[in-house]
Amino acid sequence: MLVDTHAHIYAEEFDADRDAVVARAGRSGVGLLLLPAIDSESHDRLFAACRRYGAFCRPMMGLHPTSVNGNPRWREELERVERLLAAPPEGIGGFCAVGEIGLDYYWDDGFKAEQREAFVRQCRLAVRLDLPVAIHTRAAWEDMVPLIEREAAAAREQGGRLRGVFHAYSEDEATYRRLKAAGDFLFGIGGVVTFRKSALAETVRRMDPDDLLLETDCPYLTPVPHRGERNESGYIRYICDKIAELKGVPAAEIASAATRNALRMFGGGSGPCGEAVGCEI
């Protein structure tokens, strides 16, 4: 079984053929999709997908950093996130993570303080709830790394733990080592690793398979050979195959490690995500 640990199948890009996309994912060996939240404008779509596809999908809940930018109601959005995490809507199976959250200065770097506040609040909420975090970082690593180190250390001092995944990881080996030393963190590898001039490929060669997760971020970041098209969860096999090629091991070995990592982090066996193991569409 493969786990797509970051998929936006509730996005409008899939409205015309969502059932077919989900069926193709299942035929490609994907047994579980983890769906990150963005903000309140997409919550209804997220919940509807989880209700429709049952144990095949598990939702996250959080406020995306770009949804903080220029939003005078972002603190109200955070309060909504907290309420939903405390009392998940009926029929969605509960939340498996706080996400996606993080820092993104790429589109607009005028809201750094607000993004940092929102991120720290959600990290501390995840620690209180003992949930992992799904972290989005773009053009903000100089702030992200020390923030993670500080918050992870503070959580340990208080008897808690900050843990989770760095979604769409594409930084260098030194950053990987530093983040790994900070705590229990995994690294989501997506379609970028298949790009011809991707520097991520060399980093992945040096990463431990026990630190890796597979993700598509569909409909975005489509892997080769479908680059330029809409991404979908069934394409996760191309990512798995590329990582296996880079590390010189069978693809089944990478798939097994990544799935084991995903179920450990987000719930396996008795956890809410673990119920999806072996599920059928």
Side-chain angles (χ1 to χ4, degrees):
M1 186 187 75
L2 293 166
V3 179
D4 186 351
T5 59
H6 202 102
H8 298 273
I9 64 160
Y10 58 87
E12 293 179 357
E13 286 87 342
F14 297 109
D15 283 354
D17 62 344
R18 187 171 289 108
D19 286 350
V21 167
V22 170
R24 284 195 293 272
R27 290 195 297 270
S28 296
V30 180
L32 179 61
L33 306 181
L34 305 185
L35 311 186
I38 299 298
D39 54 37
S40 60
E41 291 188 3
S42 59
H43 286 171
D44 287 346
R45 300 176 65 88
L46 169 64
F47 301 154
C50 290
R51 292 186 181 108
R52 180 169 182 81
Y53 303 113
F56 188 68
C57 295
R58 285 290 180 251
M60 306 179 193
M61 179 46 55
L63 181 63
H64 194 283
T66 60
S67 295
V68 172
N69 295 352
N71 179 3
R73 301 171 64 87
W74 69 267
R75 288 187 177 88
E76 294 176 31
E77 290 262 5
L78 278 187
E79 292 171 359
R80 176 178 171 85
V81 165
E82 293 188 24
R83 289 195 303 271
L84 286 167
L85 286 166
E90 186 176 352
I92 68 165
F95 297 109
C96 65
V98 177
E100 69 188 277
I101 65 176
L103 303 176
D104 189 325
Y105 303 159
Y106 180 81
W107 299 107
D108 192 336
D109 64 0
F111 299 92
K112 292 182 178 181
E114 292 87 347
Q115 285 194 19
R116 287 194 293 263
E117 180 184 339
F119 177 61
V120 168
R121 282 181 56 177
Q122 291 179 97
C123 283
R124 294 176 181 177
L125 175 62
V127 171
R128 291 200 303 273
L129 297 175
D130 194 22
L131 285 173
V133 290
I135 302 173
H136 169 110
T137 312
R138 191 174 187 190
W141 286 102
E142 71 282 0
D143 282 352
M144 176 59 72
V145 176
L147 261 180
I148 285 294
E149 291 173 330
R150 184 175 71 241
E151 290 300 313
R156 287 192 297 270
E157 289 174 3
Q158 297 169 15
R161 55 176 181 161
L162 179 62
R163 59 195 171 95
V165 55
F166 287 94
H167 148 62
Y169 187 75
S170 59
E171 291 303 294
D172 58 17
E173 182 186 2
T175 304
Y176 155 67
R177 300 287 177 192
R178 187 173 171 184
L179 292 169
K180 182 177 176 179
D184 184 7
F185 294 105
L186 299 175
F187 300 82
I189 306 300
V192 172
V193 76
T194 70
F195 297 173
R196 187 168 63 88
K197 296 183 178 180
S198 171
L200 176 61
E202 195 56 39
T203 301
V204 167
R205 290 183 197 274
R206 294 173 167 79
M207 297 176 81
D208 189 324
D210 286 339
D211 294 330
L212 302 182
L213 296 174
L214 300 174
E215 62 169 63
T216 61
D217 198 20
C218 65
Y220 318 110
L221 298 179
T222 311
V224 173
H226 293 283
R227 191 177 182 185
E229 304 171 16
R230 181 195 65 180
N231 200 3
E232 57 181 73
S233 289
Y235 294 165
I236 202 165
R237 285 198 166 275
Y238 299 112
I239 299 163
C240 182
D241 289 348
K242 182 63 178 182
I243 294 172
E245 174 192 324
L246 291 168
K247 302 193 76 63
V249 301
E253 184 175 324
I254 298 301
S256 178
T259 296
R260 181 175 64 248
N261 299 339
L263 297 179
R264 177 186 71 79
M265 180 62 70
F266 296 103
S270 61
C273 293
E275 297 169 4
V277 177
C279 70
E280 296 180 356
I281 302 175

